[in-house]
PDB file of all heavy atoms in Angstrom:
ATOM      1  N   LEU A  26     257.143 -95.585 248.725  1.00  0.00           N
ATOM      2  CA  LEU A  26     256.496 -94.352 249.148  1.00  0.00           C
ATOM      3  C   LEU A  26     255.041 -94.630 249.485  1.00  0.00           C
ATOM      4  O   LEU A  26     254.383 -95.446 248.826  1.00  0.00           O
ATOM      5  CB  LEU A  26     256.572 -93.288 248.053  1.00  0.00           C
ATOM      6  CG  LEU A  26     257.966 -92.702 247.784  1.00  0.00           C
ATOM      7  CD1 LEU A  26     257.951 -91.846 246.535  1.00  0.00           C
ATOM      8  CD2 LEU A  26     258.460 -91.898 248.971  1.00  0.00           C
ATOM      9  N   LEU A  27     254.524 -93.931 250.492  1.00  0.00           N
ATOM     10  CA  LEU A  27     253.164 -94.137 250.963  1.00  0.00           C
ATOM     11  C   LEU A  27     252.443 -92.797 251.012  1.00  0.00           C
ATOM     12  O   LEU A  27     253.047 -91.759 251.263  1.00  0.00           O
ATOM     13  CB  LEU A  27     253.165 -94.767 252.359  1.00  0.00           C
ATOM     14  CG  LEU A  27     254.005 -96.041 252.527  1.00  0.00           C
ATOM     15  CD1 LEU A  27     254.190 -96.364 254.002  1.00  0.00           C
ATOM     16  CD2 LEU A  27     253.344 -97.204 251.802  1.00  0.00           C
ATOM     17  N   GLY A  28     251.135 -92.827 250.777  1.00  0.00           N
ATOM     18  CA  GLY A  28     250.355 -91.608 250.891  1.00  0.00           C
ATOM     19  C   GLY A  28     250.475 -90.712 249.668  1.00  0.00           C
ATOM     20  O   GLY A  28     251.221 -90.983 248.733  1.00  0.00           O
ATOM     21  N   GLN A  29     249.724 -89.616 249.706  1.00  0.00           N
ATOM     22  CA  GLN A  29     249.649 -88.692 248.563  1.00  0.00           C
ATOM     23  C   GLN A  29     249.909 -87.263 249.016  1.00  0.00           C
ATOM     24  O   GLN A  29     249.193 -86.350 248.648  1.00  0.00           O
ATOM     25  CB  GLN A  29     248.262 -88.811 247.907  1.00  0.00           C
ATOM     26  CG  GLN A  29     247.915 -90.189 247.419  1.00  0.00           C
ATOM     27  CD  GLN A  29     248.819 -90.664 246.310  1.00  0.00           C
ATOM     28  OE1 GLN A  29     249.253 -89.880 245.472  1.00  0.00           O
ATOM     29  NE2 GLN A  29     249.114 -91.952 246.279  1.00  0.00           N
ATOM     30  N   GLY A  30     250.916 -87.036 249.823  1.00  0.00           N
ATOM     31  CA  GLY A  30     251.162 -85.727 250.417  1.00  0.00           C
ATOM     32  C   GLY A  30     251.817 -84.739 249.482  1.00  0.00           C
ATOM     33  O   GLY A  30     253.005 -84.438 249.633  1.00  0.00           O
ATOM     34  N   LEU A  31     251.063 -84.209 248.534  1.00  0.00           N
ATOM     35  CA  LEU A  31     251.603 -83.228 247.600  1.00  0.00           C
ATOM     36  C   LEU A  31     250.597 -82.114 247.392  1.00  0.00           C
ATOM     37  O   LEU A  31     249.439 -82.361 247.088  1.00  0.00           O
ATOM     38  CB  LEU A  31     251.924 -83.877 246.246  1.00  0.00           C
ATOM     39  CG  LEU A  31     252.283 -82.920 245.105  1.00  0.00           C
ATOM     40  CD1 LEU A  31     253.564 -82.172 245.425  1.00  0.00           C
ATOM     41  CD2 LEU A  31     252.399 -83.654 243.788  1.00  0.00           C
ATOM     42  N   ASN A  32     251.040 -80.870 247.562  1.00  0.00           N
ATOM     43  CA  ASN A  32     250.239 -79.698 247.236  1.00  0.00           C
ATOM     44  C   ASN A  32     250.815 -79.121 245.956  1.00  0.00           C
ATOM     45  O   ASN A  32     251.873 -78.484 245.967  1.00  0.00           O
ATOM     46  CB  ASN A  32     250.289 -78.682 248.376  1.00  0.00           C
ATOM     47  CG  ASN A  32     249.380 -77.487 248.127  1.00  0.00           C
ATOM     48  OD1 ASN A  32     249.163 -77.073 246.985  1.00  0.00           O
ATOM     49  ND2 ASN A  32     248.840 -76.924 249.200  1.00  0.00           N
ATOM     50  N   LEU A  33     250.140 -79.341 244.834  1.00  0.00           N
ATOM     51  CA  LEU A  33     250.681 -78.935 243.543  1.00  0.00           C
ATOM     52  C   LEU A  33     250.715 -77.413 243.389  1.00  0.00           C
ATOM     53  O   LEU A  33     251.513 -76.881 242.622  1.00  0.00           O
ATOM     54  CB  LEU A  33     249.852 -79.553 242.410  1.00  0.00           C
ATOM     55  CG  LEU A  33     250.541 -79.670 241.044  1.00  0.00           C
ATOM     56  CD1 LEU A  33     251.762 -80.566 241.131  1.00  0.00           C
ATOM     57  CD2 LEU A  33     249.568 -80.208 240.007  1.00  0.00           C
ATOM     58  N   VAL A  34     249.876 -76.720 244.143  1.00  0.00           N
ATOM     59  CA  VAL A  34     249.848 -75.257 244.045  1.00  0.00           C
ATOM     60  C   VAL A  34     251.095 -74.647 244.665  1.00  0.00           C
ATOM     61  O   VAL A  34     251.703 -73.726 244.112  1.00  0.00           O
ATOM     62  CB  VAL A  34     248.579 -74.692 244.711  1.00  0.00           C
ATOM     63  CG1 VAL A  34     248.594 -73.170 244.676  1.00  0.00           C
ATOM     64  CG2 VAL A  34     247.330 -75.228 244.022  1.00  0.00           C
ATOM     65  N   THR A  35     251.505 -75.166 245.814  1.00  0.00           N
ATOM     66  CA  THR A  35     252.661 -74.610 246.517  1.00  0.00           C
ATOM     67  C   THR A  35     253.947 -75.394 246.271  1.00  0.00           C
ATOM     68  O   THR A  35     255.041 -74.879 246.495  1.00  0.00           O
ATOM     69  CB  THR A  35     252.402 -74.585 248.030  1.00  0.00           C
ATOM     70  OG1 THR A  35     252.253 -75.944 248.510  1.00  0.00           O
ATOM     71  CG2 THR A  35     251.127 -73.802 248.347  1.00  0.00           C
ATOM     72  N   GLY A  36     253.808 -76.668 245.859  1.00  0.00           N
ATOM     73  CA  GLY A  36     254.969 -77.531 245.700  1.00  0.00           C
ATOM     74  C   GLY A  36     255.359 -78.246 246.977  1.00  0.00           C
ATOM     75  O   GLY A  36     256.326 -79.020 246.986  1.00  0.00           O
ATOM     76  N   ASP A  37     254.621 -78.026 248.065  1.00  0.00           N
ATOM     77  CA  ASP A  37     254.942 -78.707 249.319  1.00  0.00           C
ATOM     78  C   ASP A  37     254.753 -80.212 249.167  1.00  0.00           C
ATOM     79  O   ASP A  37     253.734 -80.674 248.645  1.00  0.00           O
ATOM     80  CB  ASP A  37     254.071 -78.175 250.457  1.00  0.00           C
ATOM     81  CG  ASP A  37     254.440 -76.750 250.855  1.00  0.00           C
ATOM     82  OD1 ASP A  37     255.588 -76.354 250.612  1.00  0.00           O
ATOM     83  OD2 ASP A  37     253.565 -76.042 251.389  1.00  0.00           O
ATOM     84  N   TYR A  38     255.723 -80.964 249.667  1.00  0.00           N
ATOM     85  CA  TYR A  38     255.803 -82.408 249.413  1.00  0.00           C
ATOM     86  C   TYR A  38     256.085 -83.121 250.722  1.00  0.00           C
ATOM     87  O   TYR A  38     257.028 -82.763 251.450  1.00  0.00           O
ATOM     88  CB  TYR A  38     256.922 -82.647 248.410  1.00  0.00           C
ATOM     89  CG  TYR A  38     257.305 -84.083 248.125  1.00  0.00           C
ATOM     90  CD1 TYR A  38     256.742 -84.779 247.063  1.00  0.00           C
ATOM     91  CD2 TYR A  38     258.265 -84.745 248.887  1.00  0.00           C
ATOM     92  CE1 TYR A  38     257.113 -86.082 246.770  1.00  0.00           C
ATOM     93  CE2 TYR A  38     258.646 -86.047 248.614  1.00  0.00           C
ATOM     94  CZ  TYR A  38     258.065 -86.712 247.549  1.00  0.00           C
ATOM     95  OH  TYR A  38     258.445 -88.004 247.261  1.00  0.00           O
ATOM     96  N   SER A  39     255.268 -84.130 251.049  1.00  0.00           N
ATOM     97  CA  SER A  39     255.472 -84.928 252.258  1.00  0.00           C
ATOM     98  C   SER A  39     254.915 -86.321 252.005  1.00  0.00           C
ATOM     99  O   SER A  39     253.722 -86.481 251.754  1.00  0.00           O
ATOM    100  CB  SER A  39     254.764 -84.276 253.448  1.00  0.00           C
ATOM    101  OG  SER A  39     254.928 -85.054 254.613  1.00  0.00           O
ATOM    102  N   ARG A  40     255.783 -87.325 252.065  1.00  0.00           N
ATOM    103  CA  ARG A  40     255.358 -88.695 251.763  1.00  0.00           C
ATOM    104  C   ARG A  40     255.881 -89.650 252.823  1.00  0.00           C
ATOM    105  O   ARG A  40     257.036 -89.546 253.270  1.00  0.00           O
ATOM    106  CB  ARG A  40     255.906 -89.147 250.405  1.00  0.00           C
ATOM    107  CG  ARG A  40     255.494 -88.319 249.209  1.00  0.00           C
ATOM    108  CD  ARG A  40     254.043 -88.518 248.800  1.00  0.00           C
ATOM    109  NE  ARG A  40     253.721 -89.885 248.515  1.00  0.00           N
ATOM    110  CZ  ARG A  40     253.874 -90.477 247.322  1.00  0.00           C
ATOM    111  NH1 ARG A  40     254.389 -89.786 246.319  1.00  0.00           N
ATOM    112  NH2 ARG A  40     253.521 -91.727 247.142  1.00  0.00           N
ATOM    113  N   GLY A  41     255.042 -90.595 253.229  1.00  0.00           N
ATOM    114  CA  GLY A  41     255.527 -91.687 254.053  1.00  0.00           C
ATOM    115  C   GLY A  41     256.496 -92.523 253.234  1.00  0.00           C
ATOM    116  O   GLY A  41     256.336 -92.663 252.018  1.00  0.00           O
ATOM    117  N   ALA A  42     257.516 -93.083 253.885  1.00  0.00           N
ATOM    118  CA  ALA A  42     258.548 -93.796 253.146  1.00  0.00           C
ATOM    119  C   ALA A  42     259.101 -94.965 253.943  1.00  0.00           C
ATOM    120  O   ALA A  42     259.003 -95.019 255.175  1.00  0.00           O
ATOM    121  CB  ALA A  42     259.692 -92.845 252.776  1.00  0.00           C
ATOM    122  N   ALA A  43     259.672 -95.901 253.215  1.00  0.00           N
ATOM    123  CA  ALA A  43     260.409 -97.027 253.806  1.00  0.00           C
ATOM    124  C   ALA A  43     261.599 -97.306 252.910  1.00  0.00           C
ATOM    125  O   ALA A  43     261.600 -96.954 251.721  1.00  0.00           O
ATOM    126  CB  ALA A  43     259.516 -98.261 253.930  1.00  0.00           C
ATOM    127  N   GLY A  44     262.610 -97.913 253.459  1.00  0.00           N
ATOM    128  CA  GLY A  44     263.800 -98.206 252.669  1.00  0.00           C
ATOM    129  C   GLY A  44     264.950 -98.640 253.542  1.00  0.00           C
ATOM    130  O   GLY A  44     264.772 -99.487 254.432  1.00  0.00           O
ATOM    131  N   TYR A  45     266.112 -98.018 253.358  1.00  0.00           N
ATOM    132  CA  TYR A  45     267.324 -98.446 254.060  1.00  0.00           C
ATOM    133  C   TYR A  45     268.169 -97.231 254.430  1.00  0.00           C
ATOM    134  O   TYR A  45     268.292 -96.290 253.641  1.00  0.00           O
ATOM    135  CB  TYR A  45     268.153 -99.382 253.177  1.00  0.00           C
ATOM    136  CG  TYR A  45     267.373-100.606 252.734  1.00  0.00           C
ATOM    137  CD1 TYR A  45     266.580-100.564 251.590  1.00  0.00           C
ATOM    138  CD2 TYR A  45     267.387-101.775 253.478  1.00  0.00           C
ATOM    139  CE1 TYR A  45     265.836-101.660 251.196  1.00  0.00           C
ATOM    140  CE2 TYR A  45     266.646-102.881 253.095  1.00  0.00           C
ATOM    141  CZ  TYR A  45     265.874-102.819 251.954  1.00  0.00           C
ATOM    142  OH  TYR A  45     265.130-103.907 251.572  1.00  0.00           O
ATOM    143  N   TRP A  46     268.745 -97.278 255.643  1.00  0.00           N
ATOM    144  CA  TRP A  46     269.699 -96.254 256.015  1.00  0.00           C
ATOM    145  C   TRP A  46     271.074 -96.660 255.481  1.00  0.00           C
ATOM    146  O   TRP A  46     271.468 -97.813 255.568  1.00  0.00           O
ATOM    147  CB  TRP A  46     269.757 -96.049 257.521  1.00  0.00           C
ATOM    148  CG  TRP A  46     270.652 -94.903 257.876  1.00  0.00           C
ATOM    149  CD1 TRP A  46     271.890 -94.949 258.418  1.00  0.00           C
ATOM    150  CD2 TRP A  46     270.370 -93.526 257.647  1.00  0.00           C
ATOM    151  NE1 TRP A  46     272.409 -93.689 258.557  1.00  0.00           N
ATOM    152  CE2 TRP A  46     271.492 -92.784 258.085  1.00  0.00           C
ATOM    153  CE3 TRP A  46     269.277 -92.838 257.112  1.00  0.00           C
ATOM    154  CZ2 TRP A  46     271.552 -91.398 257.993  1.00  0.00           C
ATOM    155  CZ3 TRP A  46     269.333 -91.461 257.038  1.00  0.00           C
ATOM    156  CH2 TRP A  46     270.457 -90.749 257.473  1.00  0.00           C
ATOM    157  N   VAL A  47     271.756 -95.705 254.906  1.00  0.00           N
ATOM    158  CA  VAL A  47     273.053 -95.946 254.284  1.00  0.00           C
ATOM    159  C   VAL A  47     274.133 -95.182 255.048  1.00  0.00           C
ATOM    160  O   VAL A  47     273.960 -93.997 255.368  1.00  0.00           O
ATOM    161  CB  VAL A  47     273.025 -95.503 252.802  1.00  0.00           C
ATOM    162  CG1 VAL A  47     274.398 -95.649 252.163  1.00  0.00           C
ATOM    163  CG2 VAL A  47     271.982 -96.307 252.027  1.00  0.00           C
ATOM    164  N   GLU A  48     275.223 -95.871 255.359  1.00  0.00           N
ATOM    165  CA  GLU A  48     276.377 -95.254 256.016  1.00  0.00           C
ATOM    166  C   GLU A  48     277.629 -95.555 255.205  1.00  0.00           C
ATOM    167  O   GLU A  48     277.852 -96.703 254.805  1.00  0.00           O
ATOM    168  CB  GLU A  48     276.565 -95.790 257.443  1.00  0.00           C
ATOM    169  CG  GLU A  48     275.502 -95.345 258.428  1.00  0.00           C
ATOM    170  CD  GLU A  48     275.686 -93.902 258.881  1.00  0.00           C
ATOM    171  OE1 GLU A  48     276.685 -93.268 258.458  1.00  0.00           O
ATOM    172  OE2 GLU A  48     274.825 -93.396 259.629  1.00  0.00           O
ATOM    173  N   ASN A  49     278.416 -94.520 254.959  1.00  0.00           N
ATOM    174  CA  ASN A  49     279.673 -94.681 254.223  1.00  0.00           C
ATOM    175  C   ASN A  49     279.487 -95.424 252.901  1.00  0.00           C
ATOM    176  O   ASN A  49     280.308 -96.258 252.510  1.00  0.00           O
ATOM    177  CB  ASN A  49     280.710 -95.406 255.095  1.00  0.00           C
ATOM    178  CG  ASN A  49     281.018 -94.623 256.363  1.00  0.00           C
ATOM    179  OD1 ASN A  49     281.177 -93.402 256.330  1.00  0.00           O
ATOM    180  ND2 ASN A  49     281.089 -95.332 257.484  1.00  0.00           N
ATOM    181  N   GLY A  50     278.368 -95.138 252.241  1.00  0.00           N
ATOM    182  CA  GLY A  50     278.121 -95.701 250.924  1.00  0.00           C
ATOM    183  C   GLY A  50     277.624 -97.125 250.906  1.00  0.00           C
ATOM    184  O   GLY A  50     277.518 -97.723 249.828  1.00  0.00           O
ATOM    185  N   GLU A  51     277.286 -97.686 252.057  1.00  0.00           N
ATOM    186  CA  GLU A  51     276.791 -99.061 252.115  1.00  0.00           C
ATOM    187  C   GLU A  51     275.515 -99.128 252.949  1.00  0.00           C
ATOM    188  O   GLU A  51     275.366 -98.386 253.931  1.00  0.00           O
ATOM    189  CB  GLU A  51     277.854-100.001 252.699  1.00  0.00           C
ATOM    190  CG  GLU A  51     279.100-100.122 251.829  1.00  0.00           C
ATOM    191  CD  GLU A  51     280.062-101.177 252.353  1.00  0.00           C
ATOM    192  OE1 GLU A  51     279.792-101.733 253.440  1.00  0.00           O
ATOM    193  OE2 GLU A  51     281.070-101.430 251.677  1.00  0.00           O
ATOM    194  N   ILE A  52     274.618-100.032 252.575  1.00  0.00           N
ATOM    195  CA  ILE A  52     273.371-100.198 253.314  1.00  0.00           C
ATOM    196  C   ILE A  52     273.684-100.717 254.712  1.00  0.00           C
ATOM    197  O   ILE A  52     274.366-101.735 254.878  1.00  0.00           O
ATOM    198  CB  ILE A  52     272.423-101.150 252.570  1.00  0.00           C
ATOM    199  CG1 ILE A  52     271.915-100.483 251.290  1.00  0.00           C
ATOM    200  CG2 ILE A  52     271.245-101.549 253.461  1.00  0.00           C
ATOM    201  CD1 ILE A  52     271.058-101.375 250.417  1.00  0.00           C
ATOM    202  N   ALA A  53     273.179 -99.992 255.739  1.00  0.00           N
ATOM    203  CA  ALA A  53     273.431-100.371 257.125  1.00  0.00           C
ATOM    204  C   ALA A  53     272.281-101.196 257.705  1.00  0.00           C
ATOM    205  O   ALA A  53     272.515-102.235 258.336  1.00  0.00           O
ATOM    206  CB  ALA A  53     273.661 -99.119 257.967  1.00  0.00           C
ATOM    207  N   TYR A  54     271.033-100.762 257.495  1.00  0.00           N
ATOM    208  CA  TYR A  54     269.881-101.484 258.032  1.00  0.00           C
ATOM    209  C   TYR A  54     268.610-100.945 257.388  1.00  0.00           C
ATOM    210  O   TYR A  54     268.582 -99.801 256.900  1.00  0.00           O
ATOM    211  CB  TYR A  54     269.796-101.351 259.557  1.00  0.00           C
ATOM    212  CG  TYR A  54     269.889 -99.933 260.068  1.00  0.00           C
ATOM    213  CD1 TYR A  54     268.772 -99.093 260.107  1.00  0.00           C
ATOM    214  CD2 TYR A  54     271.103 -99.425 260.530  1.00  0.00           C
ATOM    215  CE1 TYR A  54     268.859 -97.795 260.578  1.00  0.00           C
ATOM    216  CE2 TYR A  54     271.199 -98.119 260.999  1.00  0.00           C
ATOM    217  CZ  TYR A  54     270.080 -97.312 261.033  1.00  0.00           C
ATOM    218  OH  TYR A  54     270.170 -96.029 261.493  1.00  0.00           O
ATOM    219  N   PRO A  55     267.534-101.757 257.381  1.00  0.00           N
ATOM    220  CA  PRO A  55     266.258-101.292 256.821  1.00  0.00           C
ATOM    221  C   PRO A  55     265.583-100.287 257.746  1.00  0.00           C
ATOM    222  O   PRO A  55     265.783-100.304 258.971  1.00  0.00           O
ATOM    223  CB  PRO A  55     265.437-102.576 256.690  1.00  0.00           C
ATOM    224  CG  PRO A  55     266.042-103.526 257.658  1.00  0.00           C
ATOM    225  CD  PRO A  55     267.492-103.181 257.774  1.00  0.00           C
ATOM    226  N   VAL A  56     264.787 -99.410 257.167  1.00  0.00           N
ATOM    227  CA  VAL A  56     264.112 -98.333 257.895  1.00  0.00           C
ATOM    228  C   VAL A  56     262.629 -98.341 257.540  1.00  0.00           C
ATOM    229  O   VAL A  56     262.258 -98.604 256.394  1.00  0.00           O
ATOM    230  CB  VAL A  56     264.729 -96.968 257.513  1.00  0.00           C
ATOM    231  CG1 VAL A  56     263.911 -95.818 258.080  1.00  0.00           C
ATOM    232  CG2 VAL A  56     266.166 -96.891 257.994  1.00  0.00           C
ATOM    233  N   GLU A  57     261.791 -98.059 258.525  1.00  0.00           N
ATOM    234  CA  GLU A  57     260.355 -97.968 258.281  1.00  0.00           C
ATOM    235  C   GLU A  57     259.763 -96.791 259.052  1.00  0.00           C
ATOM    236  O   GLU A  57     260.406 -96.206 259.915  1.00  0.00           O
ATOM    237  CB  GLU A  57     259.656 -99.264 258.694  1.00  0.00           C
ATOM    238  CG  GLU A  57     259.745 -99.562 260.181  1.00  0.00           C
ATOM    239  CD  GLU A  57     259.059-100.855 260.580  1.00  0.00           C
ATOM    240  OE1 GLU A  57     258.428-101.490 259.708  1.00  0.00           O
ATOM    241  OE2 GLU A  57     259.145-101.224 261.766  1.00  0.00           O
ATOM    242  N   GLU A  58     258.537 -96.449 258.703  1.00  0.00           N
ATOM    243  CA  GLU A  58     257.747 -95.430 259.398  1.00  0.00           C
ATOM    244  C   GLU A  58     258.470 -94.093 259.493  1.00  0.00           C
ATOM    245  O   GLU A  58     258.621 -93.509 260.568  1.00  0.00           O
ATOM    246  CB  GLU A  58     257.329 -95.930 260.785  1.00  0.00           C
ATOM    247  CG  GLU A  58     256.407 -97.129 260.735  1.00  0.00           C
ATOM    248  CD  GLU A  58     255.950 -97.577 262.122  1.00  0.00           C
ATOM    249  OE1 GLU A  58     256.013 -96.756 263.060  1.00  0.00           O
ATOM    250  OE2 GLU A  58     255.538 -98.730 262.244  1.00  0.00           O
ATOM    251  N   VAL A  59     258.922 -93.599 258.355  1.00  0.00           N
ATOM    252  CA  VAL A  59     259.496 -92.261 258.297  1.00  0.00           C
ATOM    253  C   VAL A  59     258.727 -91.452 257.264  1.00  0.00           C
ATOM    254  O   VAL A  59     257.998 -91.999 256.429  1.00  0.00           O
ATOM    255  CB  VAL A  59     261.001 -92.278 257.930  1.00  0.00           C
ATOM    256  CG1 VAL A  59     261.802 -93.001 258.998  1.00  0.00           C
ATOM    257  CG2 VAL A  59     261.220 -92.908 256.559  1.00  0.00           C
ATOM    258  N   THR A  60     258.902 -90.169 257.319  1.00  0.00           N
ATOM    259  CA  THR A  60     258.313 -89.254 256.333  1.00  0.00           C
ATOM    260  C   THR A  60     259.427 -88.415 255.730  1.00  0.00           C
ATOM    261  O   THR A  60     260.289 -87.911 256.454  1.00  0.00           O
ATOM    262  CB  THR A  60     257.269 -88.336 256.999  1.00  0.00           C
ATOM    263  OG1 THR A  60     256.227 -89.128 257.558  1.00  0.00           O
ATOM    264  CG2 THR A  60     256.675 -87.372 255.983  1.00  0.00           C
ATOM    265  N   ILE A  61     259.425 -88.311 254.416  1.00  0.00           N
ATOM    266  CA  ILE A  61     260.381 -87.417 253.756  1.00  0.00           C
ATOM    267  C   ILE A  61     259.614 -86.204 253.256  1.00  0.00           C
ATOM    268  O   ILE A  61     258.504 -86.323 252.739  1.00  0.00           O
ATOM    269  CB  ILE A  61     261.125 -88.125 252.605  1.00  0.00           C
ATOM    270  CG1 ILE A  61     260.157 -88.723 251.579  1.00  0.00           C
ATOM    271  CG2 ILE A  61     262.040 -89.217 253.155  1.00  0.00           C
ATOM    272  CD1 ILE A  61     260.857 -89.317 250.358  1.00  0.00           C
ATOM    273  N   ALA A  62     260.210 -85.023 253.455  1.00  0.00           N
ATOM    274  CA  ALA A  62     259.469 -83.799 253.159  1.00  0.00           C
ATOM    275  C   ALA A  62     260.392 -82.728 252.604  1.00  0.00           C
ATOM    276  O   ALA A  62     261.609 -82.743 252.801  1.00  0.00           O
ATOM    277  CB  ALA A  62     258.768 -83.290 254.420  1.00  0.00           C
ATOM    278  N   GLY A  63     259.774 -81.777 251.904  1.00  0.00           N
ATOM    279  CA  GLY A  63     260.480 -80.639 251.342  1.00  0.00           C
ATOM    280  C   GLY A  63     259.543 -79.915 250.406  1.00  0.00           C
ATOM    281  O   GLY A  63     258.336 -80.149 250.405  1.00  0.00           O
ATOM    282  N   ASN A  64     260.084 -79.035 249.603  1.00  0.00           N
ATOM    283  CA  ASN A  64     259.311 -78.380 248.557  1.00  0.00           C
ATOM    284  C   ASN A  64     259.868 -78.830 247.218  1.00  0.00           C
ATOM    285  O   ASN A  64     261.085 -78.914 247.040  1.00  0.00           O
ATOM    286  CB  ASN A  64     259.390 -76.862 248.681  1.00  0.00           C
ATOM    287  CG  ASN A  64     258.462 -76.157 247.712  1.00  0.00           C
ATOM    288  OD1 ASN A  64     258.796 -75.986 246.539  1.00  0.00           O
ATOM    289  ND2 ASN A  64     257.284 -75.758 248.192  1.00  0.00           N
ATOM    290  N   LEU A  65     258.980 -79.135 246.280  1.00  0.00           N
ATOM    291  CA  LEU A  65     259.447 -79.688 245.005  1.00  0.00           C
ATOM    292  C   LEU A  65     260.390 -78.745 244.262  1.00  0.00           C
ATOM    293  O   LEU A  65     261.263 -79.208 243.527  1.00  0.00           O
ATOM    294  CB  LEU A  65     258.248 -80.047 244.117  1.00  0.00           C
ATOM    295  CG  LEU A  65     257.515 -81.344 244.498  1.00  0.00           C
ATOM    296  CD1 LEU A  65     256.303 -81.546 243.594  1.00  0.00           C
ATOM    297  CD2 LEU A  65     258.435 -82.554 244.420  1.00  0.00           C
ATOM    298  N   ARG A  66     260.249 -77.442 244.447  1.00  0.00           N
ATOM    299  CA  ARG A  66     261.215 -76.541 243.831  1.00  0.00           C
ATOM    300  C   ARG A  66     262.628 -76.877 244.291  1.00  0.00           C
ATOM    301  O   ARG A  66     263.563 -76.976 243.486  1.00  0.00           O
ATOM    302  CB  ARG A  66     260.897 -75.089 244.201  1.00  0.00           C
ATOM    303  CG  ARG A  66     259.674 -74.503 243.530  1.00  0.00           C
ATOM    304  CD  ARG A  66     259.549 -73.035 243.900  1.00  0.00           C
ATOM    305  NE  ARG A  66     258.336 -72.445 243.382  1.00  0.00           N
ATOM    306  CZ  ARG A  66     258.193 -71.937 242.173  1.00  0.00           C
ATOM    307  NH1 ARG A  66     259.217 -71.963 241.338  1.00  0.00           N
ATOM    308  NH2 ARG A  66     257.054 -71.401 241.781  1.00  0.00           N
TER     309      ARG A  66
END
């Protein structure tokens, strides 16, 4: 995870991320330069 994208007052969450894309339960390929986001609730 990269960056500090969290608003503790609202729960809004957005972080840079790297890892792997998974298909049918198996790792398919590595992934970079994505952001995962949502609300912590």
Side-chain angles (χ1 to χ4, degrees):
L26 290 170
L27 308 166
Q29 302 296 325
L31 170 64
N32 184 328
L33 202 62
V34 177
T35 64
D37 290 336
Y38 173 94
S39 179
R40 301 287 303 273
Y45 302 87
W46 185 254
V47 176
E48 290 284 357
N49 299 317
E51 295 187 355
I52 291 175
Y54 50 83
V56 171
E57 64 181 355
E58 296 183 21
V59 297
T60 300
I61 56 175
N64 187 278
L65 283 177
R66 288 185 185 275

